Structures are given as C-alpha cells and as structure tokens.
Amino acid sequence: MPRFTPQNAAEAAEIIARAAAGNQPLEIIAGASKRALGRPVASNDVLDISALRGIISYEPAELVLSVHAATPMSEIEAALSEHQQMLAFEPPDWRGLLGSGGEPTLGGVVACNQSGPRRVRAGAARDYFLGFSAINGWGESWKAGGKVVKNVTGYDMSKLQAGAFGTLSVLTEITLKVMPKPQTATTILLPSLAGEVAIALLSQALNTPYEISGAAHLPAVVARRSGVAAAAQGGAVTALRLEGHAPSVAFRVEAAEVLLGRGERLDAAQSAQFWREVGEVSPLLPAEGRVIWRLCPTPSAAPEVLQGISGAFASAEAYYDWGGGLIWLSLDAAAAGPDAGAAAVRGAMARAGGHATLIAAPAALRTAVPVFTPLPGPLEALARRVKQSFDLRGILNPGRIQEGH
Amino acid sequence: MILMPPPDQAVLARRTQIVADLRQIVPGDGVIDTEHERRAFECDGLTAYRQLPMVVVLPSTTAQIVGVLRYCTAHNVKVVPRGAGTSLSGGALPLEDGVLLGLGKFKRILEIDTANRCVVVQPGVTNLGITHAVQGLGLYYAPDPSSQIACTIGGNVAENSGGVHCLKYGLTTNNVIGIEMVTMDGEILRLGGKHFDSGGLDLLGVMVGSEGLLGVVTEVTVRVLPPPPGARALMIGFPTVEGSADCVADIIAAGIIPGGMEIMDRLAVEAAEAFVHAGYPLEAAALLIVELDGVAVEVDHLVALVEEIAQRHGATSCRASQSEAERLLFWAGRKAAFPAVGRLSPDYYCMDGTIPRRRIGYVLARITQMEQVYGLRVANVFHAGDGNLHPLILYNANIPGELERAEEFGNDILRLCVEVGGVLTGEHGVGIEKRDLMGTMFNETDLGQQQRLKCAFDPASLLNPGKVFPQLCNCAELGRVHVHGGQTRFPELPRF
Ligand SMILES: Cc1cc2nc3c(=O)[nH]c(=O)nc-3n(C[C@H](O)[C@H](O)[C@H](O)COP(=O)(O)OP(=O)(O)OC[C@H]3O[C@@H](n4cnc5c(N)ncnc54)[C@H](O)[C@@H]3O)c2cc1C
Ligand SMILES: Cc1cc2nc3c(=O)[nH]c(=O)nc-3n(C[C@H](O)[C@H](O)[C@H](O)COP(=O)(O)OP(=O)(O)OC[C@H]3O[C@@H](n4cnc5c(N)ncnc54)[C@H](O)[C@@H]3O)c2cc1C
C-alpha cells in the first residue's frame, strides 16, 4: 500500500492534487493513534503528514497558539504548561480505548473534535479553534479564520473542520485559543446514588453559580475499576469538580456540599487522575470481547436511555459524564450481535434526542454498522453536498463518516 | 461607494404578479407593498446605505416561510432575511429586486428547560427577551451585545454577535446549541438540539455567523447559565494607552480572565464623562475598566491582584467599586460611549477590527497619524480582553464628501488591522460594509472555497446575494469544472 510522507504543506498539496487527477482516494494519518475511530477509510493509499510538526507561534498573553497540524500533543502540553496555560477542552487520550499506539497530534484531536470532562463547562475543541490553513480535495491550499481570539470575518469554517474527521480538508496549520490553567482543583465524591437521582443532582449542581467543571456518575461496577482509592470503595460515585483560584475553590466546595450533601474530597492530584480516567474511558477497559459506544443524549433523558439499553442487554456497563450529556457504554460483543447493538442503542436514543457513535469495535463491524447516527434524508443530502464542495471526487478519507462520502 | 448586483429586470417586470402570489402564501397583513410602508425597511444600522425592497413579507409560521422560499426559488427571486435591522455592516440591506423576509412575528418563547439549562425560542425574540424569560429561575443568556434590547436572536445567530463579556463567556456560537432552519429550496432542517456536539459534520457551527447567506433560521435553542453571584469593577487611569494594554496583557498572563475588560481613550473618556458624570479620570490618556465576577471571596481576591498589577504598570488612578451602584456607575460611561461621542459630532462611523493586543500602541499611533491625513477625529473604545477595536470616526454627513472620507478612513483602519495580524471584523460582520476588503485577508482560493460552501446550501445564489463576498459566483460552473487561477486544471470526471 503506497504511503506518501510529505515534508511540508506544499508537498502535501502536490500529492493531493495528483491523487485527485488520478481519482485515487487517500487515508490521512498523523499520529495514527485514532485510525480505528470512525468507519474504515475506503483507500489503499496513505497520506502520512506526521512531518508537519512544530509550534509556529505562541503568545501566552494573547491566549493564542499556532502550530503545524501534526504537532504531538505532548509537545503542545509541555509548551503550555511552562506558562500555566492549557487547552480548556481537555482532550482525552484514547489510545487505550482504541487499542492503538502512535503519537496523538493536535490535528487529530481537532479533526475528531475530541473533548474531555471539562467540556460541560468550557466547551468543545471546536469552541477554541480560531483558524487554520488546509488543503482541499483538489490539492488547493486555503485558509480561514484568524490568529486573534475574536473574529467573524467570513464563514466560520473552523467549526466545520472540527469533527469532520479529515473528510473535508487536510489541516496543515492550526490556531487555537488557550486558557489559563486553574490554580487548583477539588473533586467532591458523593456515594451510592441511583442513576436517576445522580443525574438530577448533577443538573442541580450545574444550575448553581459554583462553576462545576466536571459532572460524572459511575455506577458501582464501573467505579470499582478506578485507580483512585476513594472512588473504588465498592459503591456508585457521583463526582463534581471545582477548579480555580484557591480561596474561591475552598468557598465553592463548602457551599456546594451544604447544598448537595457532604462527600469525600479528592485533592488536586487525585482529582486529575480521576478525571483523566473518566476522559480516557478507562473504567470500561480492557474492551476485549466488547464493543464501546459513545452516546450524547439530552442530558436529563440519560437515565431513561440507559435503562432502555440495559433492558435489552444484561451485559451493558456504562457511566455518565457531562451531567448526563455523555454516556460511555460497553456491551458484550457476542450478546450485542451483528449490529453491535445499534438498533437497541439508537432506538433508545431516538426518544431522547441526540446521537450515538460506535467507537471501539472490530473494523468489520465498523464497516457493516453505521458508525455515526444516520441523518434524515434532507440533512444527509446537504452533508453530501458540503463534502463535495471541499472534495468533489472523494479523495480525502472517503467513507470515514458515512458510506459513499 | 459600495455597489450592489444589478437588479434582475425580468423579476422587476413581474413585480405585481409576484406580490399577488406571495399574498396567497402569506395572507392578511403579512405582505407589505406600498412604498410608504416599505420605507420602514429600507436600511439597517448602517444607515448610510438605503434601498427600498421590492416587497416586504412578514410570515408568521414556518410553513409560510417554506412557501415563500419555495416560491422564490421556483421564480428566481432573491430573498434578504431580516431580524430587528440593527446590523452595523449592512447585512440586512434590502435588494431592489428582492423579497425582504422579516422575522419580526416570530416572538414566542417555546420552551424553558431548566434541567438541561436551555431555552427554545423563535428567531424574532430579542436577545434581552431570553434573559427576561429565565431570570426568575436564576438563569440568564450570556452573550450581551450593546444592542440587546432591540436585536433578535436570529440576527445574533446570523452575525455571531458578541458583547462585553465574551472573552469569558463566549460569542453567540459558543452559546447556541441547536437551530431549526429552512433552506432556499424550502427544506426544513434541524441542527443540534439539547444535546452536546454534533454527531457528524458541524453544520450548526457554520450556520452561526453565516450572515443570512445559507438559510433562514426559524427556531433557536440557547444555553442559559446561572449568573455569577457577584461582580466588582475597577476603574484604572493610565498615562499612556500602551500602559493600559500592557496591564491587560499581564492580567491575562497572571491567569485571570475577567468578566469584562474595556479601554477608552482620552476623547472617548471626555465625551462619556461630560455625558454621564461617572467620575472618570480626565487626566488619563487611557481608562481601563476591569470587571471581576464570581463568588465574593474570589472577586475580592482578584480585585487585590489586579490592583497590584495596575500599580506595577504605572496607573495614575485606580478605584475599585464598593457597591453595586458604584459598579454600575463605572460602566455607565462605557455603555453610553456611543451616544456620548454622538454629542461631539453630527455623525460617527463605528469600526470593528480585531488586532493582536500587543500591537495596540502602534495601531493607535497610526490612527492618530491618519486623523491628520483625513482631517477627521477618532474616539476609541476597545474590548481590550479580546483585542476588538471600535474606533468611532466623527464626521458630518451634511458636508459634501465627508462621509466618503470617513469610509476611506475606516477602510484604512481595517487594512491596518489585517496588516498587524488581525482581522476585518470581530463581531459586526462583513455585510456590504467590509465586503470589498475581503481580498486583504483572503486570496481567491480562500474565497472560492467559502463560495463553494455557499453553493452547497443555496445553489442558485438567491439568499442575501451581494453580501460578504466581493464577487457573485456561478455555482453551476464551480460544481462542474474547477477553475484555478482562471484556468481549468482538471477536466471534470464523473462523481467520485
Ligand atoms: C493535553 C493532552 C495531552 C495528551 N497527551 C497525550 C499523551 O501524552 N499521549 C497520548 O498518547 N495521547 C495524548 N493525548 C491524546 C489525544 O487526545 C489523541 O489520542 C490523539 O490526538 C490522536 O491524534 P492523532 O494525530 O494520532 O490522530 P490520527 O489517528 O492520526 O487521526 C485521527 C483522525 O483525524 C484525521 N486527521 C489527523 N490529522 C489531520 C489533519 N491534519 N487534517 C485533517 N484530518 C486529520 C485523520 O484522518 C483521522 O480521521 C493527549 C491529549 C491532550 C489534550
Ligand atoms: C447601538 C448598537 C450597538 C451594537 N452593539 C453590538 C455589540 O456590542 N456586539 C455585537 O456583536 N453587535 C452589536 N451591534 C450589531 C447588531 O446589533 C448585531 O449584529 C445583531 O445581532 C443584529 O441583530 P438583528 O436582529 O438586528 O439582525 P438584522 O440587522 O435584522 O440582520 C443582521 C443579519 O442577520 C440576518 N438575519 C437576521 N435574522 C435572520 C434569520 N432569522 N435567519 C437568517 N438570517 C437572519 C440578516 O439577513 C442580516 O444579514 C450593535 C448595533 C447597534 C445598532
């Protein structure tokens, strides 16, 4: 299988232009750590852009970072840490989840719009994506957005590229808004609540002005797998994270406990570990013999969705993040059957509103089952026209989101 | 002078028939035909440009919007959507041969969902109307453009409007989670909802800020938040503008994201002080207002930190509000800055570029030089946290040539913003105002890609044409052959 390794954006554009002329689709990879995410790409040729790396500019006081797209996350994290800054959307490392190696890159994170537990308060990757340079399916280099934190000049193309899984253009340069790292964090763990009670409580907490930046509920079987001793004591845990300046966190933790009940408190280090696990889905791992779904329902409907699915599959294991707005679900692959449980999962979601994505499953299943929630006809037609407006011949990651485009 | 596309004579010739047909779709008083009544819609907030629309249609149901758009597509009639008409960039400027589609009758709050912290509203609800609907429940809608009593959420979605608090709380795009829209061919689409993120392509993300060119928004779901429990403001005077800008940089570098952070220059301070008597330091070359919000311990803690940073940067005066009344007084001058400047001059022209903050000293010095060249004065107010400049160019429209001079001055300021690494518009949109400057930021390929996206939504280019892009495009051609630098690079092959 041919593999192209351009050393810069101009070479990458050249390769894509040639591929377009020859109608030869390309699979785009950077660190290849998320290659098993989405539908397998219908292509034998690989465009490996991992040489497009390095920080272009970083202005901590402007809150703006520009990098070549395949810059490793580790490099970005190190640069930001030096100035006590961070990517507020807390992108998780899914290598454990996807059973992959490779070096995660910012381009991959942005292309997959990957956000972690803080998303419930701070927003998603797309919300911090200010501008970019990219190459479309004709091999043309183009750009959109800007390198300042506030800009409405032209269509907001960044939003469209985030979460396009590389199907619209290959990102070559990325500019992000960064944020100060909170000075400290405390997590309150409330024990032994039932799912519906926990989601109602998380909703109540998110409706307070105490700036909750993590809101998860782990049922007993799942919580037991946590590496944080206080969370793994046997029962269910409902977790609330509060971050910020130390005096403020101390006050808000106390106020939240007065309102919601006393719990066990995790210090900053334990808190970091707990939420890393939540983001990385490690409480559902290892996933051998299982399929893993990611559900984004209307948050208040989450317990009902999960009840519906658990009714169909006794093997279901799951936990909630984002106050119920995210459910990580693991099913026994054999019990889930040839559709990986899609009919039951999407049936339960249909009543709640939202979408469900099949994340971890063998490639054959991810080809046979629609990985992303199928769209209603007119929307599907629009999505297809949008794809064509960037990549008429289907050169870039064809089939990754949907069969045929 | 900004030119609009030449009107379609064939459409103008059929005007009487078109009006009659539209009355079939929107009965009663929903079709406005008389010149006198159409006059009310001839401009938006960019009042220097006026155009009587061919006909005004004010539908009251989504089904009627579908009917109007289907009809217009079938008969090749252009459509311009309109909310409250407060756009400052001419986005809602009517077309001589177009239907002006007013969303003013879509005024209902459809659902308040506290469990999911969201509100579903019709597009004609005002920005402040949303907050009013939920404040009894201890919630509010965060983006707060200064026009919030008048502007509609539909217009906010189209413009991706900001406000004083958007560094911390985001623009419209960060607070809208779902919409219902109708495409030009009459298809009703739902994007997003009450859930997080989109399952596939983020079409909602690109609809926000699309300036009415991609679809008509008929319903909006917004995130609402519990308001911060308290806030205090600091009013800090500096001997130089650079000093105030450096102070802002250090506040952010210290890990503080204030709820609001505004700079006013001497002329703006003088005008505001004369108007509202807020006690602004008149000896200062620049006034910085910093608002810190959150729980009381946090606010007091941060006020002390900011005071210390301000002293380090040579502040000549620094006052922290001791009461809610005093906080509001500090803001009163800033909030009244536009009308206050309006008292200095018969007319003013408000610009909206964004720059990297570290270039503020240089940019203001260049603007001062340009004041000499153009013989016009400028007052500067500035969303300092995010580098969004609002230079107000003072002029008198009754003096022949002065409007044109003000416009040319404004264009030079925007070119300067781009030159120092910034952008043409931070929150007011491109509209017609900055349309012809798009080439300073984007090349032909960049704009071609944007226009191909437009074609995916509106292949006949009937929705708000003449806005945002300096040239109209022919979608049929873009779709069939791909033109590069005037040459056909690859003859088009069958699909895929
Ligand atoms: C602060 C932080 C620290 C992290 N630290 C680590 C860490 O230390 N170690 C670790 O392993 N993980 C870490 N991650 C994990 C990370 O979230 C993902 O696993 C990783 O980003 C995958 O990226 P990739 O480049 O390997 O994607 P790939 O698997 O190469 O690509 C994923 C998808 O994106 C597309 N794509 C990739 N690049 C582009 C592009 N330039 N343009 C268009 N489409 C593109 C691909 O075609 C594919 O569809 C960290 C995340 C964060 C936020
Ligand atoms: C005094 C004053 C202060 C202002 N302050 C601010 C500020 O602080 N921040 C800021 O960002 N802006 C500000 N603005 C600009 C303006 O208020 C905003 O751009 C606002 O969002 C426009 O809303 P509107 O309802 O008036 O829309 P209109 O002016 O009617 O329309 C604006 C654009 O939106 C489109 N549109 C309207 N409704 C729809 C719909 N339902 N579907 C599709 N397209 C639609 C129109 O076609 C047009 O292109 C200010 C304006 C004034 C006059």
Side-chain angles (χ1 to χ4, degrees):
Chain A
M1 111 176 142
R3 188 183 186 94
F4 301 100
T5 52
Q7 296 306 299
N8 54 49
E11 284 181 22
E14 200 47 47
I15 292 163
I16 294 171
R18 248 182 287 128
N23 253 10
Q24 176 57 56
L26 294 169
E27 177 179 3
I28 304 150
I29 65 166
S33 71
K34 284 192 292 283
R35 207 167 170 192
L37 184 57
R39 291 186 78 251
V41 171
S43 159
N44 290 320
D45 292 10
V46 167
L47 176 65
D48 177 351
I49 56 161
S50 53
L52 275 59
R53 59 188 284 176
I55 291 175
I56 300 166
S57 65
Y58 172 32
E59 299 282 347
E62 307 274 347
L63 302 174
V64 173
L65 170 74
S66 291
V67 303
H68 294 289
T71 306
M73 291 305 293
S74 50
E75 194 176 327
I76 289 170
E77 219 189 20
L80 293 175
S81 282
E82 233 174 87
H83 295 272
Q84 283 75 53
Q85 293 191 331
M86 63 171 184
L87 299 179
F89 53 94
E90 206 176 9
D93 185 346
W94 285 354
R95 283 180 296 185
L97 172 63
L98 299 172
S100 61
E103 176 81 38
T105 68
L106 186 67
V109 166
V110 167
C112 303
N113 191 30
Q114 253 190 308
S115 319
R118 201 182 290 107
R119 194 256 174 275
V120 70
R121 170 164 179 80
R126 51 96 87 176
D127 293 295
Y128 292 85
F129 188 15
L130 300 174
F132 60 89
S133 295
I135 307 165
N136 66 19
W138 287 277
E140 292 179 326
S141 296
W142 65 287
K143 64 179 179 302
K147 294 190 173 185
V148 289
V149 296
K150 197 172 176 198
N151 173 24
V152 296
T153 319
Y155 298 133
D156 192 347
M157 291 290 206
S158 305
K159 298 285 183 301
L160 204 47
Q161 304 305 314
F165 291 83
T167 61
L168 301 183
S169 281
V170 176
L171 300 168
T172 53
E173 289 181 24
I174 292 173
T175 298
L176 289 183
K177 177 179 176 182
V178 300
M179 290 298 264
K181 244 187 203 163
Q183 200 179 63
T184 189
T186 298
T187 292
I188 304 171
L189 293 182
L190 298 165
S192 308
L193 300 176
E196 330 66 87
V197 180
I199 295 302
L201 180 133
L202 292 177
S203 164
Q204 188 192 355
L206 290 165
N207 272 317
T208 67
Y210 303 140
E211 304 179 19
I212 306 297
S213 67
H217 174 75
L218 280 56
V221 276
V222 177
R224 239 175 268 142
R225 298 197 194 109
S226 175
V228 178
Q233 285 174 349
V237 293
T238 305
L240 294 164
R241 177 170 62 182
L242 297 97
E243 298 175 295
H245 293 267
S248 170
V249 171
F251 175 87
R252 286 183 281 129
V253 166
E254 183 59 29
E257 282 195 349
V258 167
L259 185 72
L260 305 166
R262 294 284 170 192
E264 184 132 11
R265 295 183 188 179
L266 303 184
D267 65 16
Q270 293 168 321
S271 179
Q273 185 183 345
F274 178 82
W275 293 103
R276 193 178 316 116
E277 290 175 3
V278 169
E280 292 177 0
V281 202
S282 46
L284 297 182
L285 303 182
E288 258 108 277
R290 305 190 67 92
V291 292
I292 294 188
W293 287 85
R294 182 174 179 273
L295 282 54
C296 293
T298 297
S300 62
E304 197 188 312
V305 168
L306 194 51
Q307 268 158 25
I309 296 167
S310 303
F313 300 107
S315 69
E317 285 182 3
Y319 67 91
Y320 307 90
D321 195 2
W322 303 350
L326 174 62
I327 301 174
W328 281 106
L329 169 73
S330 160
L331 301 175
D332 179 82
D339 78 340
V345 169
R346 295 208 164 110
M349 286 294 288
R351 287 186 297 279
H355 51 91
T357 309
L358 178 59
I359 298 286
L365 260 187
R366 284 182 288 111
T367 309
V369 178
V371 166
F372 297 90
T373 298
L375 301 172
L379 202 50
E380 157 68 20
L382 176 61
R384 191 175 286 268
R385 292 197 302 274
V386 168
K387 161 76 172 167
Q388 289 171 355
S389 74
F390 290 88
D391 178 23
L392 183 63
R393 300 169 201 201
I395 299 300
L396 308 174
N397 276 352
R400 180 135 218 151
I401 294 184
Q402 199 113 23
E403 192 174 355
H405 69 97
Chain B
M1 239 2 236
I2 296 157
L3 298 176
M4 295 306 285
D8 184 337
Q9 295 301 330
V11 167
L12 289 178
R14 283 187 279 119
R15 180 172 184 277
T16 312
Q17 183 60 48
I18 291 170
V19 170
D21 291 344
L22 289 169
R23 283 195 205 285
Q24 297 293 310
I25 303 169
V26 183
D29 62 356
V31 174
I32 292 175
D33 180 30
T34 67
E35 180 175 337
H36 170 68
E37 286 175 292
R38 278 183 289 148
R39 194 59 75 191
F41 298 89
E42 69 177 356
C43 71
D44 59 18
L46 187 69
T47 51
Y49 290 86
R50 287 163 198 269
Q51 170 63 55
L52 213 53
M54 179 172 72
V55 55
V56 176
V57 179
L58 304 175
S60 44
T61 65
T62 301
Q64 288 175 356
I65 293 179
V66 169
V68 169
L69 296 181
R70 284 216 175 115
Y71 175 85
C72 289
T73 292
H75 296 86
N76 207 32
V77 179
K78 296 166 188 141
V79 175
V80 176
R82 177 182 166 110
T86 67
S87 166
L88 292 172
S89 55
L93 181 74
L95 296 172
E96 185 184 344
D97 57 344
V99 168
L100 187 81
L101 187 71
L103 281 297
K105 292 188 175 175
F106 286 72
K107 279 184 183 314
R108 279 175 35 229
I109 307 264
L110 299 175
E111 190 193 348
I112 296 173
D113 181 345
T114 47
N116 294 301
R117 290 174 310 292
C118 61
V119 179
V120 185
V121 300
Q122 291 189 324
V125 171
T126 62
N127 172 293
L128 195 59
I130 300 177
T131 289
H132 282 159
V134 294
Q135 65 189 7
L137 299 163
L139 296 166
Y140 82 120
Y141 177 61
D144 56 346
S146 313
S147 51
Q148 68 181 154
I149 44 169
C151 65
T152 67
I153 189 68
N156 291 177
V157 168
E159 300 285 10
N160 189 14
S161 301
V164 167
H165 293 96
C166 62
L167 181 68
K168 184 165 178 183
Y169 296 100
L171 297 155
T172 303
T173 188
N174 311 112
N175 292 277
V176 165
I177 59 176
I179 61 171
E180 178 195 81
M181 61 177 273
V182 184
T183 56
M184 197 57 217
D185 58 6
E187 208 72 69
I188 300 177
L189 303 176
R190 289 197 154 267
L191 305 176
K194 293 179 177 179
H195 52 86
F196 288 96
D197 297 340
S198 83
L201 292 180
D202 188 356
L203 299 175
L204 169 62
V206 85
M207 273 302 295
V208 179
S210 63
E211 303 202 25
L213 268 68
L214 300 184
V216 175
V217 176
T218 49
E219 190 186 293
V220 185
T221 304
V222 298
R223 172 76 66 220
V224 286
L225 303 171
R232 288 175 69 193
L234 292 113
M235 184 168 83
I236 312 169
F238 288 91
T240 63
V241 177
E242 286 87 340
S244 65
D246 290 347
C247 180
V248 168
D250 260 16
I251 291 171
I252 289 174
I256 302 168
I257 301 292
M261 197 147 49
E262 297 285 313
I263 292 176
M264 298 164 74
D265 73 358
R266 193 189 299 273
L267 185 56
V269 168
E270 279 170 9
E273 182 59 19
F275 191 36
V276 301
H277 310 293
Y280 283 178
L282 291 171
E283 76 290 351
L287 174 70
L288 171 64
I289 300 176
V290 180
E291 176 159 294
L292 298 153
D293 59 11
V295 293
V297 276
E298 171 167 345
V299 172
D300 294 345
H301 174 73
L302 296 181
V303 164
L305 289 180
V306 170
E307 278 173 340
E308 201 185 298
I309 295 169
Q311 297 313 334
R312 271 213 310 276
H313 284 278
T316 45
S317 62
C318 180
R319 269 173 66 193
S321 65
Q322 301 302 327
S323 66
E324 186 60 9
E326 197 176 14
R327 181 183 76 85
L328 294 175
L329 183 66
F330 289 2
W331 275 112
R334 168 61 186 88
K335 294 218 159 151
F338 288 20
V341 167
R343 302 198 322 160
L344 300 180
S345 164
D347 300 283
Y348 66 85
Y349 183 34
C350 173
M351 308 310 297
D352 173 47
T354 304
I355 57 168
R357 218 180 323 89
R358 65 183 183 283
R359 305 305 301 275
I360 180 68
Y362 173 75
V363 167
L364 290 192
R366 286 277 302 272
I367 291 178
T368 306
Q369 285 168 8
M370 289 185 220
E371 291 186 71
Q372 313 299 320
V373 175
Y374 285 98
L376 296 171
R377 285 191 301 165
V378 173
N380 282 290
V381 297
F382 180 28
H383 298 307
D386 35 39
N388 189 192
L389 295 173
H390 288 319
L392 305 171
I393 303 172
L394 312 188
Y395 71 99
N396 182 347
N398 289 329
I399 300 176
E402 215 163 82
L403 165 65
E404 289 73 18
R405 221 156 71 229
E407 284 185 333
E408 213 22 67
F409 190 173
N411 287 346
D412 270 353
I413 293 175
L414 295 182
R415 286 190 195 100
L416 173 62
C417 290
V418 175
E419 180 193 314
V420 301
V423 300
L424 295 173
T425 171
E427 58 182 10
H428 294 167
V430 175
I432 58 163
E433 187 202 19
K434 297 144 201 137
R435 185 192 70 190
D436 296 344
L437 291 174
M438 287 290 271
T440 62
M441 236 179 104
F442 298 115
N443 65 27
E444 232 171 87
T445 314
D446 305 335
L447 292 174
Q449 184 57 69
Q450 300 234 2
Q451 291 194 290
R452 272 200 301 276
L453 178 69
K454 157 89 168 156
C455 293
F457 284 80
D458 175 25
S461 283
L462 291 173
L463 199 54
N464 218 1
K467 316 291 171 71
V468 182
F469 298 105
Q471 283 176 334
L472 294 178
C473 80
N474 181 339
C475 294
E477 231 160 59
L478 278 177
R480 233 176 324 108
V481 284
H482 184 59
V483 179
H484 187 81
Q487 285 183 322
T488 305
R489 251 209 309 188
F490 309 114
E492 201 33 56
L493 299 162
R495 198 188 80 83
F496 298 125

